[in-house]
Amino acid sequence: MPLTRPAKSPVRLVCSVAIVTLAAFAPAFGAEPEVALIIKNHRFEPTELKVPAGQRIKLVVHNQDSTPEEFESHSLNREKVIPAGAKAAIYIGPLKPGRYSFFGEYNEATAKGVVIAE
Ligand SMILES: [Cu+2]
């Protein structure tokens, strides 16, 4: 269905202002800083992820192994299974400055890492 452009009205103007105000508090969709994390040979690469504190972060985890892995972090309160060869987005934060450890639940002995918010 073709979109028709509505005539400008005071109501529409108020809506625009409200949207701009909201945007100031919550960054636009897709505007989060993106951090890449790889799972390879049952290890995370890199093992230390430095991220800005006080912001929502998009972690893009790429499991390059031929087995599934579960990204798990108690301090970040996140848990996500990533199938073999797949990529998954995990949103974290906004975080207070500090260290937040994570691990691969299926390979805890080797798959370890830490998010450092600063
Ligand atoms: Cu788990």
Side-chain angles (χ1 to χ4, degrees), residues 46-63:
T47 53
E48 288 193 359
L49 293 175
K50 289 198 177 169
V51 303
Q55 281 186 56
R56 197 166 179 248
I57 308 288
K58 182 182 185 180
L59 273 186
V60 179
V61 189
H62 186 189
N63 181 5

Side-chain angles (χ1 to χ4, degrees), residues 70 72 79 105:
E70 184 177 84
E72 175 138 2
E79 186 176 39
E105 194 170 1

